[in-house]
Amino acid sequence: MHASRLSRRAVLAGTAAAAALTTVPPLQGRAHAAGVTAATPSYRWRNAVIGGTGFITGVLFHPAVRGLAYARTDIGGAYRWDERAARWTPLTDHLGWDDWNLLGVESLAVDPAHPDRLYLALGTYAQAWAGNGAVLRSEDRGATWTRTDLTVKLGGNEDGRGAGERLLVDPRDSGTLWLGTRHDGLLKSSDRGATWAVASGFPATASASGQGVTFLAAVGRAVYAGWGDGDGTATAVNLYRTTDGTTWEPVPGQPTGTSAKVPIRAAHDRHTRELYVTYADAPGPNGQSAGSVHKLATATDRWTDVTPVQPGASDTFGYGGVDVDARRAGTVVVSTNNRWADGDTVFRSTDGGRTWASLKDVAVFDVSETPFLDWGEDRPKFGWWIQALALDPYDSKHLVYGTGATLYGTRDLRRWAPRIRGLEETAVRRLISPPAGEAHLISGVGDIGVMYHERLTASPSRGMATNPVFGSATGLAQAAAKPAYVVRAGWGDHGNGAYSHDGGRTWAPFTAQPDIAKNAPGPIATSADGGTLLWSFVHWDGTKYAAHRSTDNGATWSEVSSFPKGATPVADPADPTLFYAYDTDTGTLHASTDSGRSFTARAGGLPSGDDQFQLAAAPGRSGDLWLSVKWNGLYRSTDGGVTFAKVASCWASYTLGFGKAADGADYPAVYQVGSTETITAVYRSDDAGGTWVRINDDAHQWGWIGEVITGDPRVYGRVYLGTNGRGIQYGEPV
């Protein structure tokens, strides 16, 4: 989901280059029909709890219903807050493989006059290779949806994703909706989101590379629109309004200059009839170095600069979130964003912005529910990327704000704790289910490295793996015959590789690492006995490098020139002298019979051209290999890759793993994300791929799920599935 992190600042930033590391599913392949077969047998799906871990881009309390709130994320869908259960309910898990681009939520909107109505504007990327956006509308708070596909693209995981909201129910007419886009101007719907057209009269010209409309705000019966494509000059316009729903005009006297170049968010105090607007010199969440806060007296068009603290040369940042107290006139909160020198904070004023207090100065945090937020060392706990900020309209001391990793809440403006139950946004890269020991799961994920899951229903008590701390995991492997030995690789502060002798409970860094590991850590493998390590290297930009080998637990390394550059090493689970690698450039399986010293080509002529083809070795067997080659299908070899045969039972396979065999079966259960019929889904086979049953259902699809899957070797039927934004899902037969 988020960026590789090479420095202390980047580790804190969490999602600093989202597009660089977020796995993008392919657009190739056949179209899938909408009709699907029922899941057989019935499965119960839940999240393996971590708690948050992704960028919360927006939170919205319903103004007319106590305890009702919604949250949006950049790649993990939308959620509704259940006040009674004190947890979030996911609302978009029904979006399937073909709709992967809709898991990024650009904006959400509620109707103050109709509490059960909810609207979502969906679309993760605005690039040419991504699909168009869509609007979902609900009459039952997101329990069911009606969908309208748009002809434009939205950018829930683009720069500026923390701005907004860009979607608004018109304050004059609940049947009218407005949608601000990044590159296609302002859209309007007169039938509650069923159809959309370009809003006539909106004066700003859309740009193919700009931010477009950054927010829409209702002020009485008027609508204000922030415009993010101004140049910051004295004549630039970054705020428009309409009072009749047809004619738009620039708001007079608006602030200009670098610190007010991009309007980020706005909030209206109905008691004082003032509109507060936060600004920055860039859309964020990265790249902001200047910002300001201004308020507009909407009755007189008089502007006042109410910036709490001016950014300086050594303390650069922008302003992000803003909200007003619905119960107390003149009480407003704003957040800094991208502030690294002094750390981000939330400022609060009770006198209309004349004076401010930093809530960080008196904050007491309790992160025991999600221990990974300690980050393994001393770091600012208040968070970063604070653009989602919301005050409960029914409780002046109930305040929440989102960060790049979680959502914090307080009921007294002093004591803070994660408000994250049920909300899981991790992008999952690697999964291991050990054959024995305390934990049934070890995970390698984006942004927070590796986690050891003693329980599946609570955030890991040890938090993220430390010594060293990783940003994002790139490799995770366990010695098949020595499961206490585990190795990991990833983007770290103090080394990019580590090992564990206690099954992943505690870690130590490799004594040394190849120079290339600093900038291109990739997948890693360990031989069945733990005596040999193979580490492959791939930069996030796709550049591939020669693999390296160690036989002394990472103390020394030697290059393996015959290993196909950038390939994922796979250890034979039964013979410690055997390793395999699939060269996706040439469609050739390579094997080593000398503990990884040298590799030679075996089967060739297999599908090529996609780095995400996956090779897996069946547990407890030597030379039993399965090759998932996406829309090219599934292949199997039982002779160590000398020959492969295509598995006829499915026409597409994206990721594959193994679990405990069914009673009476002589082969492990095989799990895959693939297609055996007309839909890409999660399947299980109890007869070595002869037949498959679908085990997820239409309500549990989670967008793109093609990265990693594994079964539990101790519990038949249990499967762990990695998603690209909805965390680790695990399913069990019921």
Side-chain angles (χ1 to χ4, degrees), residues 427-716:
V428 186
R429 306 300 184 208
R430 302 285 187 269
L431 294 172
I432 291 175
S433 185
E438 176 187 29
H440 278 257
L441 183 66
I442 306 172
S443 63
V445 301
D447 294 336
I448 55 173
V450 169
M451 288 197 161
Y452 179 87
H453 302 258
E454 311 99 321
R455 299 166 56 197
L456 300 176
T457 56
S459 186
S461 64
R462 295 174 179 84
M464 61 195 297
T466 59
N467 194 25
V469 171
F470 283 176
S472 291
T474 60
L476 182 63
Q478 186 172 43
K482 188 181 178 182
Y485 185 69
V486 188
V487 292
R488 60 184 172 100
W491 297 91
D493 276 358
H494 306 290
N496 289 351
Y499 65 92
S500 172
H501 282 307
D502 55 13
R505 293 184 185 89
T506 61
W507 297 86
F510 295 144
T511 304
Q513 65 179 18
D515 287 342
I516 192 59
K518 299 175 183 177
N519 299 313
I524 194 168
T526 174
S527 58
D529 62 0
T532 302
L533 302 179
L534 275 180
W535 196 355
S536 183
F537 301 102
V538 184
H539 195 265
W540 62 263
D541 65 4
T543 305
K544 304 174 183 178
Y545 301 91
H548 284 64
R549 173 179 180 267
S550 176
T551 57
D552 53 13
N553 199 35
T556 60
W557 297 87
S558 59
E559 182 177 310
V560 184
S561 59
S562 56
F563 184 93
K565 289 183 178 180
T568 298
V570 175
D572 190 280
D575 187 338
T577 67
L578 299 180
F579 284 89
Y580 311 97
Y582 186 67
D583 187 345
T584 59
D585 292 334
T586 64
T588 304
L589 191 285
H590 293 253
S592 171
T593 59
D594 56 5
S595 299
R597 293 180 180 85
S598 62
F599 283 77
T600 57
R602 290 188 174 178
L606 294 162
S608 62
D610 195 307
D611 290 338
Q612 295 176 26
F613 292 164
Q614 294 184 9
L615 181 69
R621 289 159 171 78
S622 183
D624 191 345
L625 306 177
W626 295 70
L627 180 63
S628 295
V629 283
K630 295 189 172 181
W631 54 90
N632 293 293
L634 178 64
Y635 290 77
R636 185 184 176 194
S637 171
T638 56
D639 55 13
V642 176
T643 61
F644 277 87
K646 193 168 187 178
V647 178
S649 56
C650 65
W651 61 264
S653 181
Y654 297 91
T655 183
L656 181 140
F658 305 92
K660 183 178 181 180
D663 288 344
D666 60 0
Y667 197 84
V670 185
Y671 299 92
Q672 73 160 332
V673 174
S675 301
T676 68
E677 41 191 43
T678 57
I679 189 171
T680 300
V682 186
Y683 294 90
R684 190 191 75 221
S685 174
D686 293 331
D687 56 6
T691 59
W692 302 86
V693 292
R694 182 186 175 193
I695 58 174
N696 72 323
D697 55 60
D698 291 357
H700 300 89
Q701 300 194 72
W702 316 288
W704 189 72
I705 49 177
E707 182 86 3
V708 61
I709 191 171
T710 189
D712 193 309
R714 290 176 274 177
V715 182
Y716 167 69

Side-chain angles (χ1 to χ4, degrees), residues 245-339:
T246 301
T247 305
W248 291 83
E249 62 176 359
V251 177
Q254 59 190 265
T256 58
T258 301
S259 64
K261 182 179 178 181
V262 181
I264 304 299
R265 286 180 173 267
H268 178 233
D269 188 331
R270 60 183 177 84
H271 300 288
T272 63
R273 299 173 66 187
E274 292 172 323
L275 181 70
Y276 292 85
V277 184
T278 56
Y279 294 90
D281 59 339
N286 291 304
Q288 295 176 336
S289 58
S292 59
V293 182
H294 296 258
K295 71 175 181 179
L296 170 68
T298 58
T300 63
D301 286 338
R302 183 174 66 87
W303 286 89
T304 304
D305 186 338
V306 293
T307 306
V309 174
Q310 296 289 346
S314 60
D315 187 17
T316 60
F317 58 92
Y319 281 92
V322 59
D323 206 358
V324 297
D325 192 329
R327 304 169 67 84
R328 297 181 179 181
T331 296
V332 58
V333 289
V334 299
S335 67
T336 63
N337 187 70
N338 204 47
R339 188 185 194 187

Side-chain angles (χ1 to χ4, degrees), residues 359-367 381-382 401 408-410 412-418:
L359 297 185
K360 184 176 70 172
D361 295 344
V362 296
V364 177
F365 280 84
D366 177 4
V367 297
K381 286 185 177 179
F382 209 79
Y401 68 87
Y408 284 114
T410 181
D412 61 7
L413 302 180
R414 182 176 178 271
R415 292 171 295 178
W416 298 84

Side-chain angles (χ1 to χ4, degrees), residues 154-233:
L154 304 180
N157 196 35
E158 303 277 357
D159 285 348
R161 57 195 181 274
E165 297 292 329
R166 291 176 166 94
L167 183 63
L168 180 72
V169 176
D170 190 280
R172 301 163 58 94
D173 176 14
S174 288
T176 298
L177 273 70
W178 302 90
L179 175 60
T181 74
R182 295 164 180 267
H183 312 304
D184 297 278
L186 181 65
L187 305 185
K188 183 179 181 180
S189 172
S190 299
D191 52 13
R192 298 206 346 256
T195 60
W196 294 86
V198 175
S200 61
F202 190 70
T205 301
S207 166
S209 59
Q211 282 292 307
V213 178
T214 56
F215 68 74
L216 296 166
V219 179
R221 295 172 63 83
V223 174
Y224 284 69
W227 184 251
D229 292 348
D231 57 12
T233 64

Side-chain angles (χ1 to χ4, degrees), residues 13 45 70 85 144 240 341 387 389 409 444 460 493 535 649:
W45 290 92
Y70 299 94
T144 61
Y240 296 89
Q387 294 185 293
L389 180 65
D493 276 358
W535 196 355
S649 56

